[in-house]
Amino acid sequence: MASTTSGLTRRRGGAGGADGDGAANNNNGSGLGSRTNSAANVRDTTGPETSYESGENGHRIAFDPRDISESAERSKQPKLTLMEEVLLLGLKDKQGYLSFWNDNISYALRGCIVLELAFRGRIAMQKTPSRRSFPLPDRIIEVIDDTLTGEVLLDEALKMMKTSEKMSVSSWIDLMSGETWNLMKIGYQLKQVRERLAKGLVDKGILRTEKRNFLLFDMATHPVVDSGAKEEIRRRVRNVLTQRTVVINGSQWLPENLEFRYVRTVAMVCAAYAANVLENALSTLGHEAREKAFNQTDELLADYSQWPFGRKATGNDIGENLPQLIAEEINKSPEKELQLEVVAACLNVFTRLDSLL
């Protein structure tokens, strides 16, 4: 299997590059990419279900109960997934496409899929005492709840994990990114991820779709329509990276009663850093403030890419209350530590993208 470090480096400049996803930088990225080999045989084993309820005039009304469960699921989750937040940070507001020179975002987005599944309680570390003898990224994860989330990419990844052999965090991110020499596993690659995420944001009313001509080809672009969503993400990033006391107010994008709000925000910041799009949230800061924010991100990535989470004294007076807030979130749900261990493992994988300049 190809190493996650090969050819993957970080630049603090703008984001970039085409990859196997067919992405928002690709022309017309239509539809879902087909998988081959072992992953091609993944089927939705839940099967069609039909229930009935009594309507007016004694008529029975048929409905699929999965629609109701997906609606209930969405009501408990933030409006945007981690993948969508990172992609939105990378998109140019008016042009509606990502920088062509970003080599990291596609890999980071696959990591965000694993992160999101862990936050939603679908996957966790396999509970075996021997797992502690392995580095975090090499520990095996398993599906603990195969209920569909209603998010197409998450459900596609969840079905693969449910029906496939159990593998480690780094292996899943590698395979979904197409980072493998094993032809038997090339079918695990998730195709058209950036384009599919962008179309999901169109459905949510945050982006719109246009066609732009780039000399030799036409390309689908997705300019921002609802700037409120992106601005809320930027505010949250700046809050965590520049304020002495971190306070994240509830909003429609991140509800007040959402579990692990602060852990999720730290994960989003680290994912944006690994995806090389974090600077887009810091563009209004001066040079010195930006450098301090990047240094703070380095500290967060170091502290929360280990399990249990650790926090060193940095002496920079930024986010002094953050360790306490996160400890309180964890203490409220001690039974979910194996899920948070997956979060730490994903951030550990991101440190490989955040290579030294």
Side-chain angles (χ1 to χ4, degrees):
M1 179 181 297
S3 168
T4 53
T5 58
S6 64
L8 299 173
T9 56
R10 172 182 60 81
R11 295 182 299 276
R12 285 187 178 175
D19 70 22
D21 28 355
N25 289 345
N26 242 346
N27 60 336
N28 69 53
S30 62
L32 313 180
S34 59
R35 296 197 306 275
T36 58
N37 299 322
S38 57
N41 296 321
V42 173
R43 295 180 291 110
D44 183 357
T45 57
T46 56
E49 299 178 25
T50 304
S51 296
Y52 299 89
E53 64 178 10
S54 298
E56 296 179 3
N57 303 320
H59 295 298
R60 291 202 308 164
I61 301 174
F63 66 94
D64 188 337
R66 290 175 297 180
D67 293 338
I68 295 177
S69 64
E70 288 180 10
S71 177
E73 162 75 16
R74 284 177 175 161
S75 68
K76 295 186 296 184
Q77 299 299 336
K79 188 171 181 180
L80 300 182
T81 64
L82 288 169
M83 305 89 73
E84 290 170 332
E85 289 182 335
V86 170
L87 181 80
L88 197 53
L89 276 180
L91 282 175
K92 301 175 186 294
D93 288 9
K94 294 181 180 179
Q95 293 92 335
Y97 56 86
L98 297 163
S99 169
F100 290 105
W101 314 115
N102 189 329
D103 300 321
N104 289 358
I105 190 168
S106 294
Y107 192 87
L109 287 175
R110 270 68 169 196
C112 287
I113 291 174
V114 179
L115 280 169
E116 190 70 49
L117 287 172
F119 278 122
R120 292 182 182 230
R122 299 306 194 270
I123 60 175
M125 284 294 184
Q126 194 172 42
K127 190 175 183 180
T128 56
S130 61
R131 77 181 189 280
R132 294 186 176 88
S133 62
F134 295 95
L136 265 176
D138 297 334
R139 297 178 188 177
I140 302 299
I141 57 177
E142 62 182 354
V143 174
I144 58 174
D145 180 0
D146 61 1
T147 305
L148 298 182
T149 66
E151 298 286 347
V152 176
L153 279 170
L154 292 180
D155 291 340
E156 185 176 342
L158 184 62
K159 290 174 187 176
M160 283 198 298
M161 292 179 179
K162 178 67 176 177
T163 58
S164 304
E165 62 180 294
K166 291 183 173 65
M167 291 184 281
S168 67
V169 172
S170 59
S171 293
W172 273 116
I173 299 176
D174 283 349
L175 290 175
M176 290 191 293
S177 303
E179 293 279 327
T180 178
W181 293 104
N182 188 340
L183 295 179
M184 296 299 294
K185 293 186 176 181
I186 196 67
Y188 286 102
Q189 182 181 8
L190 293 180
K191 305 291 184 63
Q192 300 281 343
V193 167
R194 286 184 279 182
E195 180 64 22
R196 291 161 70 183
L197 287 172
K199 288 180 178 178
L201 288 169
V202 171
D203 293 339
K204 293 178 181 180
I206 296 169
L207 306 178
R208 69 174 185 271
T209 301
E210 294 180 351
K211 271 196 173 182
R212 291 173 64 96
N213 181 268
F214 286 83
L215 297 179
L216 300 178
F217 60 90
D218 290 332
M219 184 178 82
T221 61
H222 305 281
V224 175
V225 176
D226 183 354
S227 59
K230 189 167 185 176
E231 186 53 40
E232 193 275 341
I233 298 170
R234 287 172 172 154
R235 279 197 303 269
R236 206 167 358 128
V237 170
R238 292 193 294 267
N239 194 324
V240 169
L241 297 182
T242 65
Q243 298 300 309
R244 180 170 184 171
T245 301
V246 176
V247 178
I248 300 176
N249 297 318
S251 69
Q252 62 170 317
W253 313 107
L254 199 71
E256 188 72 42
N257 60 352
L258 180 67
E259 195 173 39
F260 301 125
R261 295 171 71 246
Y262 287 91
V263 180
R264 172 182 276 272
T265 298
V266 167
M268 182 269 290
V269 170
C270 292
Y273 191 38
N276 199 20
V277 300
L278 184 64
E279 186 166 345
N280 296 339
L282 307 174
S283 56
T284 58
L285 302 180
H287 175 73
E288 184 177 350
R290 274 202 309 274
E291 285 303 305
K292 284 184 177 180
F294 276 117
N295 291 336
Q296 177 68 2
T297 310
D298 284 327
E299 295 290 344
L300 291 177
L301 193 54
D303 293 338
Y304 294 100
S305 62
Q306 56 182 301
W307 183 258
F309 293 142
R311 183 67 194 266
K312 310 178 191 69
T314 60
N316 58 12
D317 295 331
I318 298 176
E320 289 187 344
N321 65 328
L322 190 58
Q324 179 183 349
L325 293 171
I326 288 179
E328 290 173 357
E329 288 185 332
I330 296 172
N331 291 336
K332 286 179 183 177
S333 305
E335 74 283 0
K336 297 184 178 179
E337 288 191 357
L338 289 173
Q339 297 165 218
L340 294 176
E341 194 172 328
V342 174
V343 172
C346 288
L347 300 190
N348 193 288
V349 172
F350 289 159
T351 64
R352 304 179 186 186
L353 291 175
D354 182 32
S355 56
L356 295 175
L357 293 175

